[in-house]
Amino acid sequence: MKICMLAAENGSIPGAKIGGLGDVVRDIPRALAGIGHEMVHEIDVVMPGYQRFAESTGAETQPPLKVRFRGETLQVAVSQLRDEDSGVRCRLLDHPLFAVGGPGRIYCNDPPERPFASDASKFALFGAAACQLLAEDRLGEVDVIHLHDWHAAFAAMLIRFDPRYALLGDARLVVTIHNLAMQGIRPFAHDDSSLDAWFPGLNFKRKAIADPRYPDSFNPLRAAINLCDKVHTVSPAYAREIRKSNQPEIGFHGGEGLERDLQRAHRAGRLSGILNGCEYGEPDLALPSSEELFDAARQQVFHWLGDGPQVESAHFIALERLAQWRERPPAHWITSISRLTPQKTALFEVAMGNDRTCLENILAELPPDHVFVLLGSGDAEIEGFFTHCAARYGNFLFLKGYSEPLSQTIYAIGSLFLMPSSFEPCGIGQMLAMRSGQPCLAHRVGGLKDTIENNVDGFTFTGRDQTHQAAAFVRKFRQALSLKRRSPGRWEDICRAAAARRFSWENSAREYCLQLYGGLTVKSEARSDLL
Ligand code: ADP
């Protein structure tokens, strides 16, 4: 079986990962290759090079592609990286449009009045270029074309509606939803970032690809859900949640407007929830010292400072805090590592009855020798909220930025990892923390529900709305700290149970073959009745 994956991120290339999508695109191809010749023969990943990653060592240039886009023929560069251990190949497609936010920048923050405008044009060209690559047989005949999230979804639409790519429809089309909250919606026409502008004259079936809330707009993720043979999401619990409607009044995230399509996919047996895995190498037994974390954090903050023309207040406060703590190093680290988006952090900001936010209540619960360190970046407003708290609370360190080496030290040093996500398709952060023997305190939703067993290998909370969830979060935090203080033996058992959990990529890879790739005897049998 030959599989080709299309994705925006890939953690196997330094700098080409933003979140869990990058972890999955790094790990699942290796796991699929690892389950051997009985099922998978070859696996290729195709992604944009963002005018940076083709410079990676070992990248080999291949002949460019000619791609029809916006009524012109564009030249798209191609290069290849090969992972010698697994044999997985990564094709990097490149064009100046892929670096619209600057070289190496994967996503742009488009202004709220033009959401996804730059990214959608970039990924529309990526989809067209990937189809061209496949149609020219540059990867040989592939059995499965596996799309990751809305960024890759344009390929499904072109394969189904552009006669030049119709033959690619003989392969099985699979889409993985890593996060349903991001759908890449753009107008059908009258905008330079619209379906008509990218692919003029395309004869598409509107009812399969229009957004249900904005009928004048094209929804790439909905298109992939309706046009692919199989729809996959990254945990069984999330696969159930997304078949229900959102309930904003209680903070419930379900199908994000696409629940009817997902219900239809479920009824047709096209929807699967398969849990992501985690890499387990040799355990690193050495616990980093506080000194090591101080040094790593200080060095990283200096690098971030060097990236901008002015001193950012978050970095200044972080350096001050690190200097204070160096004098009296904390004994216990409560930790969190996350993109800063409402999905991940809304509960921290909930105002509670005592005129304090949930985060302030969490900080008030900390015994004197405990501190809370948060590594993350994202929405400017959320960064502002954490910076404001960091300036006022001496037991809180906010490291505003992205750093994989620092994240590794924080996973290793932490005593308790906080993950109060409002919804969570799978979540990799909790798996990485557990791998280091750090139990998690998490909201019992989506993949967090499928990976953490309350009071056995971690702690979970739930509540009927955001206010109750925030109260339950603080309550559970208090209980967890009390257990740690009063019953060190039980606490150790929980840490050991967390470290012993195994979320195996090999199992996931086998389930991919069974549930998504279907042994490949059956072809395209179940597509949506909207076609
Ligand atoms: P999501 O994909 O929604 O961002 P996940 O928990 O699935 O959330 O995956 C997050 C991944 O990104 C983890 O590997 C985590 O360690 C990493 N990560 C998130 N924020 C940062 C950061 N600021 N610095 C380093 N790694 C980060």
Side-chain angles (χ1 to χ4, degrees):
M1 174 163 45
K2 210 164 185 174
I3 300 160
C4 169
M5 293 197 176
L6 270 54
E9 300 179 31
N10 183 352
S12 68
I13 300 176
K17 171 189 135 177
I18 303 289
L21 168 62
D23 290 283
V24 175
V25 176
R26 178 193 59 219
D27 295 339
I28 191 68
R30 289 180 191 163
L32 283 163
I35 59 174
H37 295 290
E38 43 172 315
M39 286 172 162
V40 180
H41 298 109
E42 266 182 67
I43 177 142
D44 284 278
V45 175
V46 181
M47 65 177 287
Y50 306 101
Q51 302 272 287
R52 165 71 48 85
F53 302 120
E55 291 160 18
S56 312
T57 347
E60 161 201 312
T61 307
Q62 298 192 332
L65 295 163
K66 291 204 178 340
V67 182
R68 289 296 293 170
F69 188 70
R70 287 188 167 141
E72 307 173 68
T73 301
L74 303 185
Q75 178 150 310
V76 172
V78 183
S79 49
Q80 174 181 299
L81 283 165
R82 190 164 185 281
D83 177 30
E84 290 307 326
D85 292 338
S86 64
V88 174
R89 287 174 307 207
C90 179
R91 311 291 163 128
L92 295 158
L93 306 185
D94 233 327
H95 183 273
L97 187 61
F98 296 160
V100 61
R105 177 101 181 258
I106 296 180
Y107 308 116
C108 310
N109 290 330
D110 281 299
E113 60 282 10
R114 298 198 77 220
F116 300 115
S118 327
D119 278 344
S121 293
K122 169 168 71 191
F123 293 122
L125 173 59
F126 167 60
C131 286
Q132 190 62 36
L133 183 85
L134 286 160
E136 287 182 14
D137 256 357
R138 301 268 287 261
L139 308 184
E141 193 180 331
V142 300
D143 300 294
V144 178
I145 301 174
H146 189 149
L147 314 174
H148 290 271
D149 266 350
W150 76 268
H151 326 109
F154 297 85
M157 197 216 27
L158 291 169
I159 292 169
R160 297 296 183 220
F161 299 133
D162 187 330
R164 284 172 307 169
Y165 303 126
L167 275 182
L168 299 178
D170 286 348
R172 176 173 285 222
L173 296 192
V174 177
V175 60
T176 293
I177 303 168
H178 295 265
N179 191 341
L180 196 55
M182 300 292 195
Q183 299 177 9
I185 303 166
R186 291 302 302 159
F188 273 113
H190 312 301
D191 192 291
D192 74 340
S193 175
S194 66
L195 191 57
D196 184 52
W198 304 318
F199 307 113
L202 187 71
N203 189 11
F204 53 84
K205 289 220 166 61
R206 205 177 172 105
K207 72 176 179 184
I209 67 172
D211 184 81
R213 295 142 296 189
Y214 312 103
D216 288 337
S217 292
F218 159 60
N219 184 323
L221 189 59
R222 177 165 186 261
I225 290 170
N226 286 329
L227 302 179
C228 285
D229 301 299
K230 285 283 178 183
V231 181
H232 160 237
T233 190
V234 286
S235 70
Y238 193 57
R240 290 190 295 275
E241 288 169 9
I242 59 179
R243 298 190 330 246
K244 299 184 191 142
S245 304
N246 281 15
Q247 288 176 265
E249 62 289 358
I250 59 163
F252 175 76
H253 290 259
E256 306 284 352
L258 303 187
E259 52 277 8
R260 292 183 58 191
D261 299 284
L262 291 158
Q263 287 159 11
R264 204 168 23 237
H266 172 65
R267 282 197 301 274
R270 293 192 300 119
L271 177 65
S272 297
I274 304 172
L275 197 66
N276 284 337
C278 182
E279 284 284 327
Y280 296 91
E282 285 299 302
D284 184 0
L285 298 175
L287 184 70
S289 65
S290 298
E291 284 301 317
E292 280 172 73
L293 178 54
F294 294 145
D295 289 343
R298 193 178 137 81
Q299 195 180 48
Q300 182 59 66
V301 174
F302 264 110
H303 284 182
W304 290 330
L305 276 171
D307 292 341
Q310 282 156 353
V311 177
E312 277 200 47
S313 47
H315 299 329
F316 177 79
I317 296 162
L319 289 177
E320 282 291 302
R321 189 69 71 236
L322 285 165
Q324 284 164 5
W325 289 359
R326 205 182 271 275
E327 313 227 312
R328 275 188 46 203
H332 305 276
W333 298 79
I334 308 300
T335 66
S336 196
I337 299 171
S338 175
R339 290 183 296 115
L340 301 184
T341 62
Q343 171 199 348
K344 305 283 184 176
T345 62
L347 283 190
F348 277 122
E349 295 197 55
V350 169
M352 300 188 60
N354 56 5
D355 277 343
R356 288 190 190 151
T357 59
C358 174
L359 172 63
E360 288 173 300
N361 279 283
I362 291 280
L363 295 173
E365 293 291 338
L366 286 175
D369 56 351
H370 285 55
V371 294
F372 176 35
V373 55
L374 167 71
L375 169 66
S377 58
D379 289 10
E381 271 183 35
I382 302 177
E383 291 176 348
F385 164 73
F386 286 113
T387 306
H388 181 86
C389 280
R392 281 162 183 75
Y393 291 85
N395 56 1
F396 177 42
L397 170 65
F398 172 38
L399 297 167
K400 191 191 115 180
Y402 184 93
S403 163
E404 282 179 45
L406 200 47
S407 75
Q408 281 157 18
T409 311
I410 294 173
Y411 282 124
I413 205 172
S415 307
L416 181 66
F417 188 80
L418 306 185
M419 204 153 163
S421 313
S422 299
F423 66 98
E424 194 54 78
C426 177
I428 304 271
Q430 83 280 21
M431 295 184 187
L432 298 176
M434 290 166 85
R435 184 178 71 177
S436 299
Q438 181 181 186
C440 300
L441 167 51
H443 189 190
R444 193 155 58 241
V445 286
L448 296 170
K449 194 172 175 173
D450 288 335
T451 49
I452 301 169
E453 203 177 336
N454 189 32
N455 294 330
V456 175
D457 52 27
F459 307 92
T460 58
F461 63 86
T462 187
R464 64 172 184 269
D465 58 23
Q466 272 206 332
T467 311
H468 288 86
Q469 287 157 16
F473 178 22
V474 176
R475 215 166 33 242
K476 197 78 199 183
F477 183 65
R478 187 181 310 134
Q479 286 166 7
L481 288 187
S482 155
L483 181 83
K484 181 166 174 288
R485 203 168 45 247
R486 291 174 192 203
S487 313
R490 269 209 65 209
W491 181 264
E492 277 307 310
D493 286 346
I494 290 177
C495 296
R496 265 195 295 272
R501 284 296 297 266
R502 286 292 173 269
F503 305 104
S504 139
W505 271 123
E506 187 185 323
N507 286 349
S508 313
R510 288 188 186 282
E511 289 303 316
Y512 272 44
C513 288
L514 290 172
Q515 297 189 41
L516 308 180
Y517 306 155
L520 288 172
T521 42
V522 213
K523 287 252 173 179
S524 311
E525 78 286 3
R527 216 172 307 143
S528 167
D529 49 9
L530 290 177
L531 260 188

